[in-house]
Amino acid sequence: MKKAALLTFILLLAFSTYAQSRRDRMGNPVISREPTEDEIAKYEQKLEDRKDEFIANFLTTLEADDFQKEIIKQYINSYFDAKKEVLKIKYEHSIDRKEAIKKLNETHFKDLEELISENDMTKIKDMIKGDFDEKDVKKKKKKKRKKKKKDKDE
């Protein structure tokens, strides 16, 4: 009898805890719904803006001239678009997807190697791997702005 009462109490407690976890801060139940077309468009626009900002921050770290930076920017944009297309394709095995991404990483910037320095090419390869730290670039920009403002005020 005690075991049945204890089991009932634990189940009741577990169900009420689960029900409470499905609520937001104000106590309203969280309802899953499909995003509207406007929400999807806004999200895609945010992603596109964020991608442009990321590329601009990356380009500031390169030693190339403006013409080379513009070419690199076009290559990086096309790389991200191609990678998005590869990720949209449904593969039977995840290994096939990894191989397709690896092939894209190896072949996409081949033409660019002749146009830019070895150091810049290394930075691009690091960025592809995910080793580019954008926070450092933002900190440097912020320091430059503060220094310019300080010099301007004096």
Side-chain angles (χ1 to χ4, degrees):
M1 182 69 178
K2 289 182 182 179
K3 289 183 181 179
L6 183 62
L7 183 61
T8 307
F9 177 72
I10 291 174
L11 285 174
L12 187 63
L13 183 65
F15 286 136
S16 66
T17 304
Y18 177 73
Q20 292 299 321
S21 68
R22 300 278 302 161
R23 296 181 181 272
D24 63 4
R25 291 182 181 171
M26 301 300 287
N28 300 326
V30 176
I31 300 171
S32 299
R33 63 175 177 80
E34 292 292 319
T36 63
E37 302 230 354
D38 290 339
E39 290 173 337
I40 293 171
K42 286 180 185 177
Y43 182 72
E44 287 177 352
Q45 183 62 38
K46 276 185 184 179
L47 284 178
E48 190 66 29
D49 293 342
R50 179 67 187 106
K51 181 178 83 169
D52 292 341
E53 179 185 346
F54 177 81
I55 293 171
N57 287 336
F58 175 71
L59 290 176
T60 59
T61 64
L62 300 179
E63 302 162 355
D65 62 3
D66 290 338
F67 178 72
Q68 289 174 330
K69 284 183 180 181
E70 188 62 34
I71 293 173
I72 294 169
K73 181 179 178 180
Q74 291 173 358
Y75 267 87
I76 293 173
N77 271 323
S78 66
Y79 169 77
F80 283 134
D81 292 340
K83 188 169 183 179
K84 189 186 333 181
E85 292 302 317
V86 167
L87 293 173
K88 283 183 181 180
I89 297 172
K90 297 194 182 225
Y91 291 96
E92 285 189 33
H93 304 287
S94 62
I95 297 171
D96 297 337
R97 175 175 281 125
K98 288 179 184 177
E99 287 296 320
I101 290 174
K102 185 178 178 182
K103 184 178 178 184
L104 176 68
N105 290 344
E106 292 172 356
T107 60
H108 191 77
F109 293 102
K110 281 288 185 195
D111 297 338
L112 199 59
E113 287 179 347
E114 300 169 3
L115 298 174
I116 62 173
S117 69
E118 217 174 282
N119 189 23
D120 286 347
M121 196 64 208
T122 305
K123 288 181 182 180
I124 290 173
K125 288 181 180 178
D126 288 342
M127 185 262 308
I128 290 171
K129 292 177 188 173
D131 294 338
F132 174 63
D133 189 15
E134 192 177 14
K135 291 178 184 178
D136 291 340
V137 175
K138 287 183 177 182
K139 284 180 184 178
K140 288 177 184 177
K141 280 185 177 182
K142 190 174 181 180
K143 284 181 183 179
K144 284 182 182 179
R145 275 187 270 146
K146 283 184 178 181
K147 188 175 180 181
K148 284 182 183 179
K149 185 177 180 183
K150 186 178 177 182
D151 291 343
K152 200 177 203 182
D153 290 341
E154 291 178 351

